[in-house]
Amino acid sequence: MAQRKKGAEEFRSHKWFGVKDLRSFGHRSRTLQMGYSREDFAGKPVIGIINTWSDINPCHAHFRTRAEEVKRGVWQAGGFPLEMPAITLAEPFQKPSTMMYRNMLVMETEELLRSYPVDGCVLMGGCDKTTPALIMGALSMNIPMIYMPAGPMLRGNWHGEHLGSGTDSWKYWAELRAGNITERDWQEVEEGIARSYGHCMVMGTASTMTSISETLGLTLPGAASIPAADANHPRMATASGKRIVEMVWEDWKPSDFLTAQSFDNAIIATHALSGSTNALIHLLAMAGRAGINLKLDRFDELAQRVPVLANIRPAGDKYLMEDFYYAGGLRAMLANLKDLLNLNCKTVSGKTLGENIEGCKVYNDDVIRPRSNPVSQTGGLAVLRGNLAPDGAVIKPLAAEARLLKHTGRAVVFKNYNDMAARIDDEKLDIDENCVIVLQNGGPLGAPGMPEWGQLPIPKKLLAKGVRDMVRISDSRMSGTSYGCCVLHVAPESFVGGPLAFVRDGDLIELDVAARKIELKVSDAELAKRRAAWKQAPPHYTRGFGALYEQRVTQANLGCDFDFLHRDDAAPTPDPEIH
């Protein structure tokens, strides 16, 4: 039984159901209209289940069933569950990008929870941006919450070879373009790469963000690693439903346990996983919603002392999330990092992170490496600065060919994605393997929506020569399933007059990852001349959500949140009056 700090008359829902007036009469009678009895909801914690299921989102195809399993736990614990559908962010389908609509789901989550009689919530997500979006909205609302991750899909398979989501798509697409596999081979890869519901099973954005949510203490212990199709997954969903009812009675809110140290733990986990570069943007935004002033440089400070232990593709050599789960999962990896973590940070379980990982063991030390044999001695992400990225850029060193991590090359510039698509395979393009491919106007405003274009294609004529990696620079993002020597999130972006806008064909660009430097070898005087001649393009949208997005979104180094939602001096939005 939960240690009760609240009485039922103190619940938010009491203002809807418990007051003796005409308006509450209407709320009760309409609830009875749905077939519930008074005993179902009177004096009970009302639990909102925010469900991002949709026919268009394969990662969440099991969420109709999981919602019922969450409800089962809520009923068993004496709560009243209300399933509330929210917009889904289906990474493979939504255009121009799910990143553009992340903030829409953020706002929808916060307003659903505020405008309805909800005392606590279970957030159902998993596909890339759904995790930070749901959590950001709930953090701003600051009621008891648990995140229920979708879980990774099963391993892909082609001719007995394990396939990884996205990672092997890029790999075999390059081989097809190079003429090394047939159209039939490509079709077989297409049919075998995604074999069950659940999110991508490499260490892409989805697996990174669900692991971050657990490390922050926002899921039940062990929840993030369970494959979606494993029988432990529905049991976890039911346990989440039970626990959230207890949390409402305990009045255990995110503001009661999330601290700067919690976010340090999340960054440490991200580095040890060699997680997605997208994690930087999302963690900056999430921290802002929690009232924590997280800076981009903190990621690099912690990277210097955190080894990469998860041997999971694309940074690892062969393993996938299913293997990670069997090897002990996230908790086992964190147990190997105890001396680096803030173990006293509290979690939704009511226990500390240290208590949650106590006794967890590694069962395959090639999947989860020991500290004596890491995948890398330092963290999986690096923050770069220089005159090309005054506000920062990011690279995933382990995903790149090592020879390119210190490189100077001649820029080949594309003004936008369509320019690149039209010319990249042109035999007349003046490019060789030592060049630096530059894409402009791929950022939050320029694209718009900062799509995952950052793994820029290598020209077909170079693929045919055996080239598989080059230095590539953009203000776009890159799928966490991708790989290559890709400098991403260049800030400020080119569309707003960041230095990336002034790069021209033939300019020399220096990349030095060890020195954390990205430098355009052009004089300040020449850059000033180019800046003076530059004219900003008009906005993409004049109405609707697109116009709101363009007016209020921040740059990548600030998390791409809306400025009016991520503000240090903003007072909490009050609950609505009930009239």
Side-chain angles (χ1 to χ4, degrees):
M1 176 65 70
Q3 182 66 40
R4 298 191 174 188
K5 293 185 177 179
K6 265 190 166 181
E9 70 283 351
E10 298 175 86
F11 293 163
R12 293 183 74 248
S13 60
H14 178 79
K15 293 183 290 184
W16 274 264
F17 294 120
V19 181
K20 294 181 178 180
D21 63 12
L22 180 60
R23 184 57 61 198
S24 291
F25 166 89
H27 298 151
R28 291 189 296 269
S29 68
R30 292 301 186 177
T31 306
L32 294 168
Q33 179 187 3
M34 292 184 279
Y36 296 111
S37 68
R38 296 182 191 279
E39 291 74 22
D40 288 331
F41 62 88
K44 304 269 183 81
V46 176
I47 305 301
I49 301 169
I50 308 297
N51 189 353
T52 52
W53 173 89
S54 170
D55 274 333
I56 198 66
N57 195 336
C59 306
H60 299 174
H62 52 314
F63 272 13
R64 275 183 165 174
T65 304
R66 290 295 179 273
E68 295 305 314
E69 288 149 354
V70 173
K71 290 178 189 177
R72 181 171 67 204
V74 173
W75 286 120
Q76 288 175 355
F80 180 53
L82 295 175
E83 185 178 350
M84 310 174 84
I87 185 175
T88 201
L89 306 179
E91 194 67 37
F93 294 102
Q94 192 165 32
K95 308 299 177 189
S97 77
T98 53
M99 188 65 190
M100 180 166 165
Y101 293 101
R102 183 198 69 180
N103 292 346
M104 177 180 277
L105 177 56
V106 173
M107 295 175 71
E108 183 179 18
T109 301
E110 180 178 350
E111 300 307 327
L112 276 173
L113 296 175
R114 176 173 294 110
S115 60
Y116 285 107
V118 174
D119 301 309
C121 62
V122 176
L123 309 170
M124 298 177 59
C127 185
D128 292 21
K129 316 304 178 294
T130 57
T131 298
L134 290 165
I135 289 172
M136 288 164 66
L139 290 180
S140 291
M141 185 57 194
N142 195 35
I143 61 173
M145 57 156 285
I146 286 182
Y147 186 70
M148 194 222 80
M153 69 176 89
L154 300 178
R155 291 180 292 235
N157 188 278
W158 180 53
H159 296 178
E161 175 187 344
H162 289 160
L163 296 177
S165 310
T167 304
D168 281 315
S169 302
W170 321 126
K171 172 183 174 181
Y172 286 109
W173 176 241
E175 297 306 316
L176 180 69
R177 293 174 68 224
N180 294 333
I181 64 171
T182 67
E183 286 287 348
R184 177 59 188 165
D185 292 332
W186 177 243
Q187 183 177 334
E188 289 174 351
V189 171
E190 182 180 298
E191 293 166 352
I193 200 166
R195 296 173 44 241
S196 78
Y197 48 77
H199 60 66
C200 294
M201 76 313 238
V202 295
M203 188 48 68
T205 304
S207 295
T208 302
M209 294 311 302
T210 56
S211 297
I212 281 172
S213 66
E214 181 174 336
T215 308
L216 282 170
L218 299 175
T219 78
L220 291 182
S225 304
I226 306 170
D230 193 289
N232 285 299
H233 199 271
R235 285 192 278 272
M236 177 270 293
T238 298
S240 298
K242 290 180 180 178
R243 175 59 189 151
I244 191 61
V245 175
E246 297 175 346
M247 290 173 67
V248 171
W249 287 112
E250 296 165 357
D251 197 25
W252 190 233
K253 304 178 298 298
S255 61
D256 297 322
F257 61 88
L258 277 184
T259 63
Q261 289 72 37
S262 305
F263 280 88
D264 276 355
N265 287 341
I267 295 170
I268 289 167
T270 302
H271 285 307
L273 293 165
S274 192
S276 168
T277 51
N278 289 307
L280 279 74
I281 292 177
H282 298 315
L283 272 170
L284 289 167
M286 292 161 67
R289 295 304 186 98
I292 292 163
N293 187 23
L294 180 62
K295 298 294 186 183
L296 193 59
D297 289 337
R298 185 59 174 160
F299 291 84
D300 213 51
E301 292 168 9
L302 292 173
Q304 306 302 319
R305 56 190 179 92
V306 180
V308 176
L309 301 185
N311 186 16
I312 305 173
R313 299 178 67 197
D317 56 11
K318 61 181 175 180
Y319 296 111
L320 300 168
M321 285 299 292
E322 195 174 340
D323 306 297
F324 187 60
Y325 177 62
Y326 300 146
L330 178 68
R331 286 190 295 171
M333 187 198 76
L334 295 178
N336 280 355
L337 297 166
K338 279 185 175 180
D339 58 307
L340 301 179
L341 294 166
N342 301 282
L343 298 176
N344 291 326
C345 290
K346 291 283 193 175
T347 70
V348 294
S349 71
K351 299 179 180 178
T352 64
L353 178 64
E355 291 172 316
N356 287 347
I357 65 176
E358 185 64 37
C360 293
K361 298 179 180 179
V362 173
Y363 301 106
N364 184 331
D365 63 7
D366 192 38
V367 179
I368 302 174
R369 296 284 186 85
R371 297 278 284 276
S372 59
N373 181 33
V375 178
S376 170
Q377 291 287 354
T378 55
L381 303 175
V383 175
L384 309 174
R385 292 188 186 273
N387 70 346
L388 192 54
D391 293 337
V394 64
I395 190 171
K396 192 173 186 175
L398 288 181
E401 291 185 9
R403 64 183 177 85
L404 295 172
L405 297 179
K406 184 176 175 61
H407 180 84
T408 300
R410 172 172 57 88
V412 177
V413 182
F414 298 98
K415 295 297 182 185
N416 53 50
Y417 186 90
N418 290 335
D419 179 33
M420 180 190 69
R423 296 195 292 126
I424 192 69
D425 287 334
D426 188 339
E427 287 290 332
K428 297 178 182 178
L429 184 66
D430 183 14
I431 190 169
D432 60 41
E433 59 270 29
N434 296 311
C435 289
V436 175
I437 303 176
V438 175
L439 175 67
Q440 298 167 336
N441 294 306
L445 293 168
M450 204 179 183
E452 293 180 339
W453 294 342
Q455 189 190 21
L456 308 177
I458 293 172
K460 186 183 290 187
K461 66 181 180 182
L462 298 183
L463 288 173
K465 291 174 57 178
V467 177
R468 292 296 181 271
D469 200 6
M470 296 174 66
V471 176
R472 290 160 273 181
I473 301 174
S474 73
D475 42 17
S476 291
R477 296 177 302 111
M478 180 174 80
S479 168
T481 68
S482 301
Y483 54 88
C485 191
C486 302
V487 178
L488 310 158
H489 309 181
V490 171
E493 65 173 305
S494 53
F495 188 84
V496 300
L500 189 67
F502 313 132
V503 182
R504 294 181 180 174
D505 285 337
D507 289 345
L508 291 180
I509 296 177
E510 179 189 5
L511 169 66
D512 189 339
V513 174
R516 299 301 195 257
K517 182 169 71 172
I518 184 73
E519 196 79 12
L520 179 63
K521 311 301 280 185
V522 172
S523 70
D524 290 344
E526 175 61 21
L527 277 178
K529 180 180 176 182
R530 295 180 188 181
R531 182 177 285 107
W534 175 81
K535 293 182 180 179
Q536 184 166 2
H540 296 274
Y541 299 98
T542 58
R543 61 171 301 279
F545 178 77
L548 172 65
Y549 172 88
E550 289 190 315
Q551 292 164 13
R552 307 311 292 262
V553 73
T554 62
Q555 289 289 292
N557 61 301
L558 298 176
C560 295
D561 200 355
F562 287 159
D563 57 6
F564 64 92
L565 295 174
H566 185 155
R567 224 171 45 204
D568 294 337
D569 61 344
T573 304
D575 274 347
E577 295 182 4
I578 311 299
H579 298 306

